[in-house]
């Protein structure tokens, strides 16, 4: 286990190696935004590593897990590929591949849309429900351990800031 990060005079953690590298990169300029981006990336990787530990060996990628969770909250009517893509912020082609994988694992199934015969709906199977039930508690424990020491207010603020980053990125992509 690595040592805890040192803190600056305001009591905020930082990574000395990142700060040093960013200082060289900015030629001695302000490094805060770049250090923050590196910290966000490191935190996202930590979450994915923990999440992946629960998924590995179970035949499901993080993307497929997201689809399973969305299907579990969709109810009996399921979701279309387009709805899954919009909800996940990914392409329909990406979701189609994930659903193909989930069907091979018998965790999800495609079925006819009763409202539109040209369309299909994706449903969670009983095996998919069982898989999620088995995954739920280890996942909850892993996330509780990851966020150990964080107050509910800190978690809400972190969520808020991360979603603000996502909104800013989407605005930049739209050219606004």
């Amino acid at each position: 286990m690595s040592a805890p990060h040192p803190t600056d005079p305001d009591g905020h953690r930082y990574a000395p190696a990142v700060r040093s590298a960013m200082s060289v990169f900015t030629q001695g300029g302000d490094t805060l935004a770049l250090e923050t981006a590196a910290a966000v990336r490191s935190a996202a990787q930590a979450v994915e590593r923990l999440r992946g530990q629960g998924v590995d060996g179970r035949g499901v990628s993080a993307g497929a897990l997201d689809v399973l969770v969305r299907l579990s909250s969709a109810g009996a009517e399921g979701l279309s590929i387009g709805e899954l893509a919009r909800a996940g912020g990914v392409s329909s082609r990406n979701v189609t591949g994930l659903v193909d994988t989930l069907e091979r694992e018998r965790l999800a199934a495609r079925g006819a849309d009763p409202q539109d015969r040209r369309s299909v709906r994706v449903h969670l199977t009983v095996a998919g429900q069982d898989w999620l039930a088995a995954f739920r508690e280890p996942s909850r424990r892993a996330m509780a351990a990851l966020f150990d020491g964080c107050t509910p207010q800190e978690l809400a603020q972190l969520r808020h800031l991360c979603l603000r980053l996502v909104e800013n990125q989407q605005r930049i992509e739209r050219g606004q």
Side-chain angles (χ1 to χ4, degrees):
M1 184 167 144
S2 63
H5 289 92
T7 56
D8 64 19
D10 293 327
H12 297 109
R13 288 181 172 88
Y14 70 98
V18 171
R19 180 167 286 176
S20 176
M22 293 305 147
S23 183
V24 171
F25 177 74
T26 63
Q27 298 178 330
D30 184 22
T31 63
L32 185 57
L34 294 170
E35 285 184 65
T36 304
V40 167
R41 188 172 42 257
S42 294
Q45 290 168 345
V47 169
E48 286 307 310
R49 276 193 303 275
L50 256 187
R51 187 167 137 173
Q53 287 176 0
V55 175
D56 282 347
R58 298 179 74 98
V60 175
S61 68
L65 175 60
D66 287 341
V67 169
L68 284 174
V69 169
R70 291 180 200 292
L71 290 174
S72 73
S73 61
E77 65 273 1
L79 294 167
S80 70
I81 296 289
E83 289 168 335
L84 285 165
R86 283 188 295 281
V90 297
S91 70
S92 292
R93 173 185 252 170
N94 184 294
V95 171
T96 297
L98 294 171
V99 170
D100 289 345
T101 299
L102 292 172
E103 277 193 310
R104 276 193 302 277
E105 297 293 325
R106 293 179 168 54
L107 302 176
R110 289 179 174 93
D113 184 335
Q115 310 301 335
D116 181 356
R117 291 190 337 225
R118 299 167 296 165
S119 184
V120 296
R121 308 289 287 177
V122 182
H123 307 273
L124 195 62
T125 63
V126 171
Q129 291 168 0
D130 292 345
W131 190 97
L132 278 173
F135 184 74
R136 187 173 290 116
E137 184 55 25
S139 180
R140 188 205 59 75
R141 282 194 312 270
M143 290 303 115
L146 183 65
F147 292 108
D148 184 44
C150 295
T151 66
Q153 294 80 10
E154 288 170 330
L155 290 175
Q157 182 68 9
L158 179 59
R159 180 189 63 212
H160 170 81
L161 293 171
C162 289
L163 292 175
R164 184 187 296 168
L165 294 177
V166 170
E167 291 166 1
N168 287 346
Q169 179 270 329
Q170 291 169 342
R171 180 182 42 78
I172 291 165
E173 278 190 347
R174 290 190 307 268
Q176 299 175 341

